[in-house]
Amino acid sequence: MPDSPPRLLDQVREKIRLKHYSIRTEHAYVDWVKRFVLYHGRRHPRDLGLGEVEAFLTHLAVADKVAASTQNQAKSALLFLYKEVLGAPLPWLGDITQAKASRRLPVVLTVDEVSDLLDRTSGTCGLILRLLYGTGMRVMECLRLRVKDVDFVRREIVVREGKGSKDRVTMLPARLVAPLRAHLEEVRVLHRSDLDAGLGAVWLPFALARKYPNAAREWGWQYVFPSARISIDPRSGRQGRHHAGDKAVQRALRQAARDAGIAKPATPHTLRHSFATHLLQGGYDIRTVQELLGHADVSTTMIYTHVLNRGGRGVESPLDSLDRTPPRPGLLRAREGGACYAGAGQA
């Protein structure tokens, strides 16, 4: 009896792994395909088309009230399904409307707010948060760091496979050299314990595991921030220690922000925004900041220049100049009387 063809979601996973997409992208795309199929009564996507795709995306926007970025992620997942997995012709591709994402200014903390926040963090989470602010890394870039990519002599960190599958180099803050060295000594002890238990192998990208069979157990390839527990790799099925998750980091930052009395909706990514903003305030060239952040286009980095302008692009409000303008006698009498004065020609 011939083997049955793989299930739809397994086909999606196989194609995503073939294209070396991240595990997070895999989880997101599989989830959107599953929701799409369930929304249309478990009908196979081969029997669906433009109308059903648009109905699903409209439902997300109207009923679920998802953000434009979330709606566009769902659209990307469905287009991947039809184009890459099902190999279906897409003459209607151009008819699907792209949700217009809002252009919002990033949340940025002041230098004093960052200092107050970090003073209320400690341990591994505190070290991670200091690295985020001190290097401009995204939280997952930090958590995926390997030991070999930290250069204490040159005081730099190589960020591998960042957003857009790009590598870049950022600085290692001098004040984090000693804490990071001490942290890695603890990680080395944990790694030796794993080796003694017959474990200690980490996930390697692409075909490196086949090319260098012993590399997965070498010290240089270990994660700087390993997980506290052993888990099963969802792709290989092997038992090992993955990198730490971001949930604990998010919780630590939220608690520190509350303790510091910071009302801004701060997240770990806020530290990256603050890193860029404070560099620009310090007079560094925007191209340098662009390179440190890993932005492909300087226009993306330009969003941080808004903080370099006081108020509305550095223009002084006329209200602030009133104290320097001698008041008219009529207005002076009104002020002295304490009444709300409204002129006859008030607009």
Side-chain angles (χ1 to χ4, degrees), residues 159-187:
V159 181
R160 305 285 184 183
E161 289 289 306
K163 191 172 183 179
S165 298
K166 295 176 294 186
D167 294 352
R168 71 178 189 278
V169 177
T170 187
M171 75 284 282
L172 171 60
R175 65 188 299 177
L176 293 184
V177 169
L180 192 54
R181 282 187 184 276
H183 169 77
L184 286 178
E185 285 304 315
E186 295 178 2
V187 174

Side-chain angles (χ1 to χ4, degrees), residues 116-130 132 245-260 266-268 271:
D116 288 345
L117 187 148
L118 294 180
D119 283 345
R120 288 166 172 78
T121 64
S122 60
T124 301
C125 286
L127 179 57
I128 292 171
L129 292 172
R130 284 168 174 79
L132 297 184
D246 59 341
K247 293 290 190 291
V249 180
Q250 293 171 359
R251 286 195 298 268
L253 185 137
R254 284 197 299 269
Q255 185 60 53
R258 283 194 293 266
D259 294 343
T267 68
L271 296 176

Side-chain angles (χ1 to χ4, degrees), residues 180-234:
L180 192 54
R181 282 187 184 276
H183 169 77
L184 286 178
E185 285 304 315
E186 295 178 2
V187 174
R188 187 188 284 270
V189 172
L190 180 65
H191 176 54
R192 288 171 180 163
S193 174
D194 286 345
L195 290 176
D196 292 341
L199 302 171
V202 296
W203 175 82
L204 296 182
F206 310 119
L208 287 176
R210 290 197 304 271
K211 189 174 183 181
Y212 305 107
N214 297 321
R217 288 181 170 79
E218 293 177 359
W219 169 238
W221 281 100
Q222 302 305 304
Y223 290 114
V224 173
F225 298 105
S227 172
R229 66 175 188 270
I230 301 295
S231 60
I232 303 297
D233 189 318

Side-chain angles (χ1 to χ4, degrees), residues 50-208:
L50 172 61
E52 288 77 13
V53 171
E54 287 194 327
F56 177 66
L57 297 178
T58 300
H59 170 79
L60 293 178
V62 176
D64 292 349
K65 294 181 172 56
V66 301
S69 58
T70 304
Q71 186 182 9
N72 286 332
Q73 184 191 62
K75 172 190 171 184
S76 298
L78 297 181
L79 294 183
F80 180 88
L81 168 68
Y82 279 98
K83 184 177 180 180
E84 303 293 343
V85 180
L86 301 179
L90 301 174
W92 38 266
L93 175 61
D95 296 330
I96 299 180
T97 304
Q98 181 85 0
K100 185 177 181 180
S102 301
R103 185 68 168 175
R104 301 187 183 279
L105 295 178
V107 175
V108 175
L109 303 178
T110 65
V111 174
D112 288 341
E113 287 173 334
V114 172
S115 179
D116 288 345
L117 187 148
L118 294 180
D119 283 345
R120 288 166 172 78
T121 64
S122 60
T124 301
C125 286
L127 179 57
I128 292 171
L129 292 172
R130 284 168 174 79
L131 272 171
L132 297 184
Y133 176 65
T135 65
M137 286 187 289
R138 300 174 178 88
V139 64
M140 292 310 300
E141 291 173 343
C142 182
L143 295 176
R144 290 169 179 160
L145 276 179
R146 311 274 184 157
V147 174
K148 67 181 182 61
D149 295 324
V150 179
D151 191 328
F152 288 103
V153 177
R154 295 171 60 90
R155 288 230 324 265
E156 65 182 27
I157 294 174
V158 181
V159 181
R160 305 285 184 183
E161 289 289 306
K163 191 172 183 179
S165 298
K166 295 176 294 186
D167 294 352
R168 71 178 189 278
V169 177
T170 187
M171 75 284 282
L172 171 60
R175 65 188 299 177
L176 293 184
V177 169
L180 192 54
R181 282 187 184 276
H183 169 77
L184 286 178
E185 285 304 315
E186 295 178 2
V187 174
R188 187 188 284 270
V189 172
L190 180 65
H191 176 54
R192 288 171 180 163
S193 174
D194 286 345
L195 290 176
D196 292 341
L199 302 171
V202 296
W203 175 82
L204 296 182
F206 310 119
L208 287 176

